[in-house]
Amino acid sequence: MTGSSDHIFRENVAPVFEVFVREVLGVRTQSLERVELSQPKTSEREPDYLRKVVLQPSGEPVIMHLEFQTKTDKLMHLRMLEYNALLRRRFGIGVRQYVLLLKGKGSTMRTEIKEDNLYFRYELVHMSKVKFAPLVESGVPELIVSSVLADFKRKDAAAIIRRILVTLRQAVPDERDLQKYLTQLDLLSHIRDYDNIVINEIDDMAFTYDIKRDARYQQGIEQSAHNIARESLKNGVSIQL
């Protein structure tokens, strides 16, 4: 997984894993353990998120593997199959795999392989189809922020963003912590083109939010500097200057 939005999901899932998999994936666990898959140095990718869990009510131990995608990957089924084989060999138990698609329909993403001697599948979860209410009402800041990508049921986006902000402020009274979650909300809202609405609602609700600390703001500043330098060179300005 790549990109700041993906990173936010990896960061946010870690402290609230049980709540996340219950509310988003519909899976109940009774225990969990952090595990890692040591990959060869030549390997291009590592799994986004792994946990060894005991499922309820069966008591079955499995490796739960989550991948977060901000764009369609036509070869996702092959990547997940490769991970599956490596995880089974490493841990010797069953593997449950989920790809959370944060943007797009994923219509070209295959979720299974059916051949004469092979059958494999993983679960593709569209965040845009996940129920909004359980996330925003969870009381967990990480899930409240993630609710901006959930299913609004065609309700007014500004009203939904306002509800997220009010709920977030109630859940995070500390201003420094609130700043972090507002930045995350701004970044995730960009996936659904709601970032302007988020900024406007933050201004209207008199939140303390320093946009200069925002990651996309910093990227814009850097890009502007590069553009100025490039144009200056074209116009004959010396490299030293």
Side-chain angles (χ1 to χ4, degrees):
M1 110 182 148
T2 58
S4 57
S5 300
D6 298 357
H7 175 74
I8 289 173
F9 260 80
R10 179 189 291 184
E11 180 182 284
N12 282 3
V13 167
V16 293
F17 178 82
E18 286 186 270
V19 180
F20 183 86
V21 297
R22 183 180 70 241
E23 299 297 343
V24 177
L25 305 180
V27 177
R28 294 184 176 274
T29 63
Q30 63 186 46
S31 68
L32 62 92
E33 174 187 347
R34 183 173 181 174
V35 294
E36 295 182 359
L37 179 64
S38 299
Q39 291 277 66
K41 293 183 178 179
T42 56
S43 178
E44 295 182 0
R45 295 177 181 268
E46 294 183 356
D48 282 348
Y49 200 86
L50 296 175
R51 287 293 186 273
K52 180 180 179 181
V53 305
V54 176
L55 301 175
Q56 289 185 347
S58 67
E60 176 190 4
V62 299
I63 298 297
M64 184 166 286
H65 169 210
L66 310 183
E67 288 288 317
F68 306 104
Q69 287 287 120
T70 52
K71 59 183 180 180
T72 296
D73 183 350
K74 294 181 180 180
L75 300 180
M76 198 73 204
H77 58 298
L78 298 179
R79 177 146 61 102
M80 296 300 281
L81 174 62
E82 180 180 8
Y83 284 143
N84 193 292
L86 290 170
L87 290 168
R88 286 178 181 274
R89 184 173 66 180
R90 169 67 177 82
F91 298 103
I93 57 177
V95 179
R96 288 199 177 188
Q97 295 175 287
Y98 300 84
V99 173
L100 277 81
L101 189 61
L102 309 186
K103 183 178 183 178
K105 298 180 179 179
S107 56
T108 60
M109 289 178 66
R110 292 179 57 186
T111 59
E112 62 181 10
I113 301 173
K114 288 184 178 181
E115 297 180 1
D116 290 343
N117 298 313
L118 173 65
Y119 176 73
F120 166 78
R121 73 182 303 273
Y122 68 88
E123 295 288 340
L124 179 61
V125 179
H126 297 79
M127 274 302 299
S128 62
K129 296 181 180 179
V130 172
K131 292 181 179 180
F132 170 76
L135 299 184
V136 77
E137 295 170 1
S138 65
V140 180
E142 291 82 1
L143 297 187
I144 296 171
V145 168
S146 301
S147 70
V148 74
L149 299 180
D151 184 6
F152 293 173
K153 297 296 183 184
R154 299 183 180 179
K155 295 182 179 179
D156 178 62
I160 291 294
I161 298 299
R162 200 174 304 120
R163 181 179 176 186
I164 293 173
L165 288 170
V166 169
T167 309
L168 194 58
R169 171 177 271 171
Q170 293 171 346
V172 188
D174 183 86
E175 287 293 332
R176 289 173 298 180
D177 291 338
L178 182 60
Q179 172 78 45
K180 179 185 74 172
Y181 290 115
L182 290 176
T183 299
Q184 290 185 359
L185 178 62
D186 184 27
L187 286 167
L188 290 181
S189 67
H190 184 62
I191 293 176
R192 296 189 67 175
D193 298 323
Y194 292 153
D195 40 334
N196 288 333
I197 297 176
V198 168
I199 294 299
N200 290 337
E201 290 299 325
I202 286 175
D203 289 341
D204 290 345
M205 298 176 69
F207 274 82
T208 302
Y209 181 55
D210 183 5
I211 193 172
K212 292 184 179 180
R213 294 176 60 183
D214 181 85
R216 287 189 294 105
Y217 176 87
Q218 296 295 343
Q219 291 169 2
I221 293 296
E222 291 180 10
Q223 188 59 49
S224 296
H226 291 160
N227 292 340
I228 292 171
R230 190 178 298 109
E231 290 302 315
S232 298
L233 288 172
K234 287 181 181 178
N235 293 327
V237 176
S238 68
I239 293 177
Q240 289 81 1
L241 180 58

